[in-house]
Amino acid sequence: MTGPLQVVLGTISVLFLIVAVVFAYRAVRAMVRIIRTGQPDATRNGPVGPRLKTLAVESLGHTRMLKWSAIGAAHWFVFIGFYGLFLTLVEAFGEVWDPAFHLPLIGEWGLWNLFADVIGAGTVLGILYLIYRRQKDHPRRQGRTSRFAGSNEGRGYFVEAVVLTVGLCILLIRALKVSSGLTEAPAWSHPVSSLLATVLPDSPDLLSVVAFVKIVVSLAWLVVVSRILNMGVAWHRFSAFFNIYWKRNDDGSVALGPLQPMTSNGKPIDFEDPGEDDVFGRGKIEDFTWKGMLDFTTCTECGRCQSQCPAWNTGKPLSPKMVIMDLRDHLYAKAPYLLGEKTAAETAPDYDVLKPSDEQVWASGYARIEGTNDAQAHRPLVGTLEEGGVIDPDVLWSCTNCGACVEQCPVDIEHVDHIEDMRRYQVLIESNFPSEAGVMLRNLENRGNPWGVSPSTREDWIKEMDFEVRMADGPLPYDVEYLFWVGCAGAIDDRAKKVTKAVAELLHTAGVEFAVLGSGETCSGDPARRMGNEFVFQMMAQENVETLNGVFEGRVPGTRKIVTTCPHCFNSLGKEYPQVGGEYEVVHHTQLLSQLVAEGRLTPVTPVDRKVTYHDPCFLGRHNKVYTPPREILDSVKGLSTQEMHRCKDRGFCCGAGGARMWMEEKIGKRINVERTEEALGLDPDVISTACPFCITMLSDALTSKKQNGEAAEHVEVLDVSQILLRSMAPAGTPGTEHGAEVGTADDDVAGTGSAATGHSQA
């Protein structure tokens, strides 16, 4: 069936293929060379088996995409169509010469034809749905709240048009084979094609033309993306596999929990004797590791991270998506200088930066200086509009480290790690950070706590207990099961001290032998590390490890148990201290209390007639995946009515205190704690419950403001789950356990009359 038309179309197709392959080879070669300019990172190499398993689960199973079910399902069909139907492109090169051509061996196989028919139809329907969602969620409709705000819409349209055209061509080619009698595959194997064939002519020439269109569109896409290396919406189809395989944790978990040690040239920095050439943090784009550069390249601009970011959702300039896009665009614009193809002048030339005409100039700093030029080579990674910075300081310091971006990213980009590495450079090298945070850092260095109070203050709460609290003095006796790490807030802040006393009383009631360090305890170092001062963190962590190793002297692994009420301490002690030689079994108080309730050692007997909504602390939930124990405790309390906020569990909304933001002023946009408190109050609760001292402070402050403005009922309170549990163990009728119409109208005790933890106020 080869005629003049087929010869012409076939010849053009082959020539175009050669051109496209050359372009693609050069593009991949350039991209690999650019990524290899990054710093070494030997932690990504193994083990191979678990990494391959994670790759298979996340790509074929689409587990991360399917968190957004309808969009995830649509994308799965497009994904499977792109790779699974690649052979239809191969077949098209035969069909353009001979309309009757079939793939050898499988061309007429029923199962292959059924797969191609179903997935081809799924690809078309899937991309149509994604096109609809892009338009439905478009910034022109939703403004800043659109997850596509700041994305390159034109590139997205181009990719969508290509996928739709190729998908339609696949179905049309198959339908024309049926209508032209050019297939012997069983009828059951092409249900969609057979239906389309009823309205198509018997035309082998038309089949060759459609095959030609399919080839041209596919190769045009390849040429275009080969010319635009920072077109993440297209390149992620290839780079995502490598990015997922080389994700931070080989067990498949996301890059949350512990921050990684500060490295230079691929090795952890020895702060006692740093090398002369050691680079502290990321001050230039070339300071990032090759994995960081792969992250930047892989960003799809889907905006899931942006849609979940508490900073962006409260009017701040930080968009995790735009941070990654800016770093990517800067990397590829500066690439000729990194590769030695161009040499920058010794001094930065004069340049004109964009005027702040809209918020995106602020949120997306790359746009201040575009293109490959000496100004691009010299511009600071972090800097103001006048400095031409790629990332604005207000963007960098708006991050709360909540991890929502990392949790939602379908291609495992490690936003928090990159933001923290840039903070490290700003703090340790530039000494450029919010001034109010400097007070916190000085307090940590001088007094061992962010408040700057005397270490002896840590023992004040013990004097208020009506039973003896054992103090650790040397190695713990073997009858002591847990060291209770009280934390700075738990020992100093009045609201958090109530939680400390409630937990201590519950442990005492359950017969759990525990001891505390008292004035021997110092800050875990989390605020310093999240601020970017790795030096102070290392100093404090090593001091604490020395103390803890002395307390646990002689104890084998499995008996070095720590319980803490602070998720930040929980994360540092359990996940970060192993980096400095501290190996302990650390549990959060909600985990231990839930276990004690399950074992019958704590029995809630008194109904608590309250409507409760629970707020997930980010460092307990997303960072450490502790979602169930706090809810199990609440479920065990009779009389409680619980209701989840819309944003809960892995989509929980931050209180605003993480990332050392507890110690910085929130001057831009709406306060994050107010946003979260308003969401909670929308459920009309009696109690907003949580399990973190910082969350209690932030939510309580916002609630107090709402009460003063008459926007919240006076009886609404913020309580830790342990306080509610203790309240349920008080005698019936004591404050906090009443029933009836007057419930919640009077001040409640934390637990019950006679308890040392009964004091309660809105302070």
Side-chain angles (χ1 to χ4, degrees), residues 650-673:
D650 64 351
R651 289 199 191 184
F653 196 79
C654 183
C655 76
R661 289 293 318 175
M662 178 80 173
W663 317 105
M664 294 181 240
E665 293 295 330
E666 193 170 349
K667 303 174 182 177
I668 304 170
K670 184 179 182 180
R671 294 183 67 86
I672 294 174
N673 61 335

Side-chain angles (χ1 to χ4, degrees), residues 190-339:
H190 41 70
V192 180
S193 301
S194 295
L195 186 63
L196 284 175
T198 60
V199 296
L200 294 177
D202 177 355
S203 177
D205 284 350
L206 180 58
L207 192 154
S208 291
V209 170
V210 175
F212 177 73
V213 171
K214 181 178 188 301
I215 290 170
V216 169
V217 170
S218 299
L219 296 183
W221 175 85
L222 187 59
V223 169
V224 170
V225 303
S226 297
R227 299 294 296 166
I228 309 175
L229 297 186
N230 62 349
M231 191 174 177
V233 69
W235 278 107
H236 83 275
R237 294 181 173 214
F238 309 110
S239 61
F241 295 107
F242 301 99
N243 213 50
I244 293 170
Y245 178 83
W246 279 311
K247 66 191 299 184
R248 192 177 85 182
N249 301 324
D250 56 45
D251 62 359
S253 60
V254 295
L256 293 175
L259 278 182
Q260 298 304 287
M262 202 162 75
T263 61
S264 179
N265 198 31
K267 299 177 182 178
I269 294 175
D270 180 359
F271 282 91
E272 294 183 358
D273 185 24
E276 292 183 4
D277 297 330
D278 281 348
V279 177
F280 286 46
R282 315 297 185 213
K284 302 185 295 293
I285 194 67
E286 55 266 38
D287 293 338
F288 285 95
T289 67
W290 62 264
K291 177 55 173 62
M293 295 180 179
L294 182 59
D295 269 0
F296 309 154
T297 302
T298 305
C299 178
T300 72
E301 305 181 21
C302 69
R304 290 189 179 202
C305 57
Q306 179 175 291
S307 72
Q308 303 295 303
C309 178
W312 183 260
N313 277 286
T314 53
K316 297 167 183 63
L318 168 62
S319 159
K321 175 186 71 179
M322 283 190 257
V323 167
I324 299 301
M325 288 170 59
D326 282 349
L327 292 173
R328 175 198 66 197
D329 294 346
H330 175 55
L331 168 65
Y332 283 96
K334 191 177 179 181
Y337 296 93
L338 303 180
L339 296 173

Side-chain angles (χ1 to χ4, degrees), residues 428-447:
L428 296 173
I429 302 300
E430 298 290 341
S431 295
N432 188 6
F433 51 87
S435 58
E436 62 270 19
V439 177
M440 176 268 290
L441 291 174
R442 287 192 296 273
N443 287 338
L444 287 179
E445 293 186 74
N446 299 329
R447 294 297 189 113

Side-chain angles (χ1 to χ4, degrees), residues 1-4 6 95-101 180-182 202 204-205 208:
M1 289 189 176
T2 303
Q6 281 75 23
E95 292 161 341
V96 81
W97 289 93
D98 178 6
F101 177 81
S180 304
L182 299 178
D202 177 355
D205 284 350
S208 291

Side-chain angles (χ1 to χ4, degrees), residues 6 25 57 129 150 161 247 269 516 565 595 624 639 646 695 747 758:
Q6 281 75 23
Y25 168 76
V57 169
Y129 179 74
K247 66 191 299 184
I269 294 175
V516 299
T565 60
Q595 176 186 331
N624 286 282
H646 173 68
C695 292
D747 289 341
T758 56

